[in-house]
Amino acid sequence: MAPSQGRQAARVGAGILVTRVLGFVRERVFAQFFGDGPAADAFRAALRIPNVIRNLLGEGTLAASFIPVFAGLVEQGRDDDARRLAGVIASFLIVLAAVATLVGIFLAPIITDFVAPGFSGTTRDLTIRLVEIMFPMSGIMILSGWCLGVLNTHRRFFLAYAAPAVWNIAQIAVLLALGGILLSTRLAVALAWGALVGSVLQLLVQLPTTLRLVGRMHWGFQLAAPGVRRVIRTWIPVVFGAGVYQVSSIVETQLASLLQQGAVAILGYAQLVANVPVALFGISVAAAALPELSRDAVGPGIETLRRRVAEGARRVAYFVIPSAFGCAALATPIIAALFQTGAFGPDETALAAGVLAAFAIGLPAQASVRLLASGHYALGDTKTPVRIAAVSVAVSAASAFLLMRHLGVAGIAVGTSLGAYVNMTLNSWRLESRVGHLLDRSELRAIGITVLGAAPAALASAAAARALAGGGLWLEAGVALATFGLVYMGITLLLGHPDAWRLLDAASQRPRRKRDM
């Protein structure tokens, strides 16, 4: 019997949590040595490039096209065809990774000028050097995305999403070993090498289990192999869709580079925090749902798929809506506790907190889009999310450009949030036209309860933070977050939210009870 979607999402979330915790450790050490200085800007901008390539050609896009086909073959018992598909796709990816790496190194100056047009002098020179070092990481991450696709299909979610933890560990080791020895520019170069080595380790951690699950692979470039053409045919629109999203990411960096020194770094600190609830709850639910939705599309049918998407949307809302309230109400204590050290002082905290509060506006939409897009992908439709993404990115970029003139870096975050709601609304509308209404009365009531619980929890936690101001950054943030969690959990339990009771049953290890809204 397959594990429930909730348990699978929990495994994804656990893997992401391990990675994110170590990511915060990495960023705190990074903030201590770099703050929001020129070297921090250069490293953020240079790291944006391999991240763009990874998202464009790696785990996100490959999962959307590869998993539905691979999972379908596995579900039908066609194991040999599944192995042949995995081998052919891996062969293509190895070549693609090598070409992308060579092109990226050769075009490093052009890439730098495109991503950060506001950089000049030594900051530009350092960014070019860092791009040259870290660009090979793009190809390695593409291969890591193939591993993720195989692991997810076989429901090995924790390993797939915990593997990036070693990438963080490699960078933490470099910073702790050399941070007190090297100046910021040389330390940034050393950190870039650490990131590259970490990406290799991330791939190596996944490979043994992945290869064991696939079995004897058929290497080669046989387009006639079962499923290969379908993967490529569906992958191309998804890549274009991811390209649209990455345009948005690049535009954010471009706009920030035109503002004051440190704006790119500040944007990165705030994004790291804002991405946590999206990753823990949005990506985890969507990642766990995609293989099952793909099986639904070739098995039980549309109604089962619709119910699965609706359940996932309710679960995402239960966790992400309060996360948005919490990030808005507690932005300053959260940023201070995580990053305020060394070269990152109170002024940097105030700037990053404002940007985090602006990102918080769009968190529910950003998290929901992943699940809605998975519904389209499972139905074999990879074009609709692309068209919608293009519209939402245009809205996001235009809004960010206008708002940054008045709100600075926070205006970029507000523009991103507005684009996310356009994306969510259009994806939901199009998916409902194919599977019927996603949210019935019980789901809508559950989402209403989340808001009724999150609002007073935000007020209570903000009051707790004010009462403890000056008593220690970690104490202030810890008590405020604990207050938020207790108030939110108490209200949602009292009002009978099914996911609140599911959490309570899991925490107390009681048998799960069915609770209808």
Side-chain angles (χ1 to χ4, degrees):
M1 180 181 295
S4 70
Q5 185 177 331
R7 289 187 180 182
Q8 293 174 13
R11 292 172 184 173
V12 177
I16 291 174
L17 181 61
V18 171
T19 297
R20 293 288 172 166
V21 168
L22 286 167
F24 280 121
V25 174
R26 182 199 73 217
E27 288 299 314
R28 182 171 178 83
V29 182
F30 182 93
Q32 178 178 351
F33 293 112
F34 291 105
D36 64 344
D41 277 347
F43 191 86
R44 295 285 189 202
L47 188 59
R48 179 75 70 180
I49 307 303
N51 281 341
V52 165
I53 299 298
R54 181 194 66 190
N55 293 328
L56 189 61
L57 301 175
E59 58 192 43
T61 60
L62 187 61
S65 56
F66 176 62
I67 288 178
V69 182
F70 188 65
L73 293 174
V74 172
E75 182 71 9
Q76 295 165 18
R78 299 166 61 185
D79 293 339
D80 192 59
D81 287 340
R83 284 192 293 270
R84 185 174 290 107
L85 172 65
V88 172
I89 296 302
S91 301
F92 276 113
L93 291 178
I94 290 171
V95 174
L96 181 62
V99 172
T101 296
L102 293 175
V103 171
I105 293 174
F106 181 73
L107 298 179
I110 297 174
I111 292 171
T112 297
D113 291 338
F114 175 72
V115 172
F119 286 1
S120 61
T122 56
T123 303
R124 177 181 178 273
D125 294 339
L126 176 59
T127 306
I128 293 172
R129 176 64 176 142
L130 298 178
V131 170
E132 291 172 343
I133 295 171
M134 290 194 288
F135 210 95
M137 190 168 65
S138 307
I140 297 167
M141 293 298 189
I142 291 173
L143 297 176
S144 183
W146 173 81
C147 292
L148 180 142
V150 173
L151 291 169
N152 280 10
T153 299
H154 289 276
R155 301 187 177 101
R156 302 298 180 90
F157 295 104
F158 179 78
L159 175 60
Y161 289 94
V166 298
W167 183 72
N168 290 321
I169 291 172
Q171 294 175 77
I172 293 168
V174 170
L175 288 170
L176 293 179
L178 303 176
I181 302 173
L182 301 179
L183 297 177
S184 59
T185 299
R186 295 182 64 190
L187 181 60
V189 172
L191 183 59
W193 284 109
L196 177 59
V197 171
S199 67
V200 175
L201 295 175
Q202 175 181 332
L203 176 62
L204 293 178
V205 164
Q206 299 175 82
L207 267 180
T209 302
T210 302
L211 295 176
R212 188 179 71 252
L213 290 172
V214 173
R216 183 175 176 273
M217 289 219 303
H218 304 269
W219 300 95
F221 303 94
Q222 299 88 5
L223 289 174
V228 172
R229 284 194 172 91
R230 183 182 169 194
V231 170
I232 295 174
R233 186 172 61 250
T234 55
W235 190 32
I236 291 173
V238 177
V239 167
F240 277 107
V244 174
Y245 281 116
Q246 297 314 308
V247 166
S248 177
S249 174
I250 292 172
V251 167
E252 290 175 4
T253 303
Q254 289 174 326
L255 295 176
S257 76
L258 299 174
L259 295 172
Q260 74 275 13
Q261 177 184 304
V264 174
I266 290 296
L267 189 70
Y269 288 118
Q271 281 178 325
L272 183 72
V273 180
N275 286 339
V276 169
V278 175
L280 281 179
F281 309 120
I283 293 178
S284 63
V285 171
L290 181 55
E292 306 307 324
L293 291 170
S294 301
R295 292 181 174 94
D296 293 340
V298 298
I302 295 298
E303 177 57 25
T304 303
L305 185 148
R306 186 202 68 78
R307 288 200 307 268
R308 199 181 299 276
V309 172
E311 179 185 347
R314 187 197 70 210
R315 185 171 291 118
V316 168
Y318 181 75
F319 291 105
V320 178
I321 288 177
S323 297
F325 275 86
C327 285
L330 303 175
T332 297
I334 290 173
I335 293 292
L338 290 174
F339 304 125
Q340 190 168 306
T341 180
F344 196 102
D347 291 341
E348 288 77 16
T349 292
L351 283 172
V355 179
L356 174 58
F359 274 128
I361 297 170
L363 290 184
Q366 290 180 21
S368 300
V369 163
R370 309 272 183 162
L371 178 65
L372 296 170
S374 292
H376 289 293
Y377 298 150
L379 293 169
D381 179 8
T382 55
K383 295 181 180 179
T384 295
V386 175
R387 300 189 185 103
I388 294 173
V391 174
S392 65
V393 167
V395 171
S396 175
S399 302
F401 179 75
L402 294 173
L403 292 171
M404 65 180 261
R405 299 181 177 184
H406 305 286
L407 301 176
V409 189
I412 299 174
V414 174
T416 299
S417 296
L418 293 176
Y421 279 102
V422 171
N423 200 338
M424 180 189 72
T425 302
L426 294 179
N427 263 295
S428 178
W429 171 62
R430 288 298 299 157
L431 188 58
E432 286 185 336
S433 70
R434 300 189 64 179
V435 304
H437 289 295
L438 294 175
L439 304 179
D440 59 22
R441 185 174 298 178
S442 64
E443 267 90 28
L444 290 173
R445 180 173 180 269
I447 293 175
I449 290 175
T450 65
V451 177
L452 291 176
L459 293 175
S461 62
R466 283 196 300 270
L468 292 169
L473 298 178
W474 280 97
L475 177 65
E476 179 183 345
V479 172
L481 288 172
T483 301
F484 188 103
L486 289 172
V487 173
Y488 178 69
M489 189 69 176
I491 292 175
T492 53
L493 282 172
L494 182 65
L495 295 178
H497 195 293
D499 291 310
W501 281 101
R502 182 177 287 105
L503 276 179
L504 182 62
D505 290 343
S508 60
Q509 297 183 340
R510 292 182 295 186
R512 183 176 300 174
R513 294 165 292 178
K514 182 177 178 62
R515 294 181 179 273
D516 298 322
M517 293 297 296

